[in-house]
Amino acid sequence: MAESKGALIAKTMQKHAGRAKEKFLQNLGKVDRTADDIFDEHLLNFTRQQYAATRLQKEFNNYIRCVRAVQAASKTLMDSLNEIYESQWTGHDLLYVQAQNLDMLWQDFTHKLADQVLLPLNTYQSQFPEMRKKVDKRGRKLVDYDSQRHAFQSLQSNPKKRDELKVTRGKELLDEAKRTYEQLNSELHDELPALYDSRVLFLVTNLQTLFAAEQVFHAESAKVFSELEAIVDKLANDSQRGSYSLKNNSDSQSPKSPNANSALIINTQPAHNNISPALDDSTAAATGDSSPTTQLNGNANSNANSNANSNANSNVNSNANSNDNSLNNQDESTKNAILPAKRVEELYDIPVGATTDNLPAGVLYRVKATYKYNREDVDELSFEVGEIIRVIEYDDPEEQEEGWLMGIKEGANEKGMFPANFTKPL
């Protein structure tokens, strides 16, 4: 066993020595070399193709590393934005949702690059080392063939010292070396051109997959950034309206500042203060009524009587004027009598599209939450996206604040104030 192994090592060393000697003689021009120009051209193309594949694989690996680094940076950036974007601001939940969408797009993009682009590229590139081994083996077998050819020619060159046994053995070794070489050479004459021609289809398929993945990612991420821009634009608009100023500050225009909604609060003084009998100057003076309403109506009646006397110089016109005043006062009383019915519509601006029919008593209309809201004060109402809220009147109209509604959540019986722009009417 040991002898066989030693013999095998000796034979291998002898073969390597013989190849080295043959190459040395060929390089010196002492012996000829079997030429194959077609194979040499195939080998040159193969070498260029292998270099291009190796470079593409290297650069694409570097590209994916950079993409993953940008993905990590994008996630960190969006996480920080979600932290600093305050919960009561418009689009807080939408910002979180879009950040998650963007992260999913990044993950899908990197997976496609790795599975559909890099993996086929690695498979394509893995062909070259195996083919290179075969080319190198063909080169060794060519040297063996040339060596046996030269040895056989040497045995035949001196007929006087010709040893037929050696000649016969040399011929056998030459034929064996020739068969081995020609078999490898023939296979490579087929395989090298086929591999070289495959470069076009592979490159087209690989680049199409890459560019399609890029196109989908950038198109979808552009939509996400468009949504994010719209969220920030709405935040800017709300901020310009003073929606996010400090609460409970009389100098600010916060949504919960009573002064900010003063334009919505109408005069609720009793209607009868505006009703006064048609008294002339002498009657007003005799009664001694010095209230502002009485004096105002007295002066108005006095001026009306004076004008009527001046224009008509007739007690009939004075009486007619007095009667007209009484009718006007009656009309005014009628208007004031229906004021409470209109007061709700004036105090609470019912949005367009809101349904007011078939609602429980005291319910103005219903809304659905489009954003999540977490209350900041005890008198506010928290809700999740999709919850239904019944809008009701304020217990005290003076507490109504611009941009805020009073409501009760359906099914929970929770009552409180909430920002109107976090909901939409039903």
Side-chain angles (χ1 to χ4, degrees):
M1 183 74 178
E3 292 179 358
S4 299
K5 184 176 181 180
L8 181 61
I9 294 175
K11 183 178 179 180
T12 302
M13 294 297 294
Q14 183 180 4
K15 185 181 293 185
H16 287 320
R19 288 171 181 165
K21 178 182 178 181
E22 181 67 20
K23 287 182 178 180
F24 179 73
L25 292 175
Q26 288 178 352
N27 292 334
L28 291 178
K30 300 294 184 179
V31 293
D32 64 335
R33 177 186 298 171
T34 301
D36 189 340
D37 295 337
I38 296 177
F39 177 84
D40 291 342
E41 182 178 355
H42 292 334
L43 182 59
L44 180 62
N45 291 335
F46 168 78
T47 302
R48 288 199 299 261
Q49 185 183 8
Q50 183 181 18
Y51 170 78
T54 302
R55 179 176 180 182
L56 182 60
Q57 183 189 42
K58 175 184 176 182
E59 296 302 331
F60 194 75
N61 273 301
N62 182 59
Y63 178 74
I64 288 186
R65 283 194 295 270
C66 294
V67 169
R68 287 172 176 163
V70 177
Q71 176 188 4
S74 174
K75 180 173 176 54
T76 303
L77 173 62
M78 297 308 299
D79 288 345
S80 66
L81 290 179
N82 277 306
E83 290 178 5
I84 66 173
Y85 202 97
E86 299 180 15
S87 59
Q88 74 273 19
W89 287 356
T90 298
H92 175 267
D93 290 341
L94 285 180
L95 179 70
Y96 175 79
V97 170
Q98 295 301 336
Q100 296 300 308
N101 290 339
L102 185 61
D103 186 51
M104 291 178 62
L105 288 174
W106 274 112
Q107 292 182 23
D108 182 66
F109 180 47
T110 54
H111 287 163
K112 284 183 177 179
L113 292 181
D115 297 341
Q116 300 180 18
V117 181
L118 182 59
L119 186 60
L121 178 58
N122 291 339
T123 303
Y124 172 74
Q125 202 277 338
S126 67
Q127 301 176 92
F128 296 99
E130 293 298 324
M131 189 65 70
R132 176 62 66 179
K133 289 180 182 179
K134 199 169 185 178
V135 169
D136 292 342
K137 184 178 180 180
R138 182 257 185 198
R140 293 192 299 270
K141 296 304 179 182
L142 176 59
V143 173
D144 292 343
Y145 167 65
D146 284 341
S147 178
Q148 293 297 336
R149 182 167 56 83
H150 294 147
F152 182 72
Q153 289 173 353
S154 178
L155 290 174
Q156 290 182 324
S157 63
N158 192 353
K160 294 181 180 181
K161 296 182 179 181
R162 185 185 178 100
D163 187 339
E164 293 299 330
L165 292 177
K166 289 184 178 180
V167 170
T168 302
R169 177 59 180 168
K171 183 69 169 60
E172 292 176 353
L173 293 175
L174 175 60
D175 291 341
E176 181 181 357
K178 183 179 181 180
R179 283 195 304 271
T180 303
Y181 160 71
E182 287 183 344
Q183 181 180 356
L184 281 173
N185 190 58
S186 177
E187 291 175 357
L188 288 173
H189 269 271
D190 294 334
E191 294 173 0
L192 287 177
L195 178 60
Y196 185 68
D197 292 341
S198 71
R199 75 193 189 285
V200 178
L201 180 60
F202 165 76
L203 192 62
V204 168
T205 303
N206 201 248
L207 292 181
Q208 282 179 338
T209 305
L210 169 62
F211 298 151
E214 292 276 0
Q215 189 272 334
V216 171
F217 169 72
H218 291 294
E220 294 299 321
S221 60
K223 296 178 182 178
V224 172
F225 285 115
S226 178
E227 293 293 334
L228 291 172
E229 183 183 16
I231 292 172
V232 177
D233 284 344
K234 192 166 190 316
L235 176 64
N237 293 334
D238 290 350
S239 178
Q240 290 175 357
R241 292 196 299 266
S243 299
Y244 303 110
S245 300
L246 291 176
K247 296 182 179 181
N248 301 323
N249 187 345
S250 59
D251 294 333
S252 66
Q253 294 296 322
S254 66
K256 302 188 90 173
S257 171
N259 293 333
N261 197 39
S262 59
L264 296 178
I265 307 300
I266 66 171
N267 188 357
T268 58
Q269 293 296 324
H272 66 270
N273 285 346
N274 294 326
I275 304 174
S276 62
L279 301 177
D280 55 19
D281 293 344
S282 60
T283 305
T287 58
D289 189 352
S290 59
S291 66
T293 303
T294 304
Q295 292 177 2
L296 178 60
N297 290 331
N299 291 335
N301 292 334
S302 176
N303 291 335
N305 291 335
S306 177
N307 292 333
N309 291 331
S310 175
N311 293 332
N313 291 323
S314 171
N315 289 333
V316 176
N317 290 339
S318 178
N319 291 334
N321 184 61
S322 178
N323 292 333
D324 289 340
N325 289 336
S326 297
L327 291 174
N328 290 336
N329 288 334
Q330 291 177 4
D331 292 340
E332 187 68 23
S333 297
T334 302
K335 293 178 181 178
N336 290 332
I338 64 174
L339 179 61
K342 291 186 176 181
R343 181 171 175 267
V344 170
E345 296 182 359
E346 294 174 350
L347 277 174
Y348 304 97
D349 186 13
I350 306 298
V352 177
T355 300
T356 58
D357 298 334
N358 301 321
L359 297 177
V363 178
L364 303 176
Y365 57 96
R366 299 163 69 240
V367 295
K368 181 178 181 180
T370 54
Y371 304 99
K372 177 182 178 181
Y373 181 71
N374 295 320
R375 71 178 188 179
E376 296 183 352
D377 292 338
V378 294
D379 60 345
E380 294 180 7
L381 184 66
S382 297
F383 48 78
E384 300 290 335
V385 175
E387 290 195 82
I388 306 300
I389 304 170
R390 296 178 177 179
V391 180
I392 61 175
E393 300 181 32
Y394 281 76
D395 295 336
D396 184 358
E398 296 293 337
E399 295 180 356
Q400 182 178 352
E401 299 176 4
E402 183 178 5
W404 291 73
L405 300 172
M406 179 66 70
I408 300 176
K409 283 201 298 185
E410 287 190 356
N413 202 29
E414 297 178 20
K415 178 181 177 181
M417 300 169 57
F418 63 93
N421 56 6
F422 277 59
T423 63
K424 66 177 181 180
L426 295 177

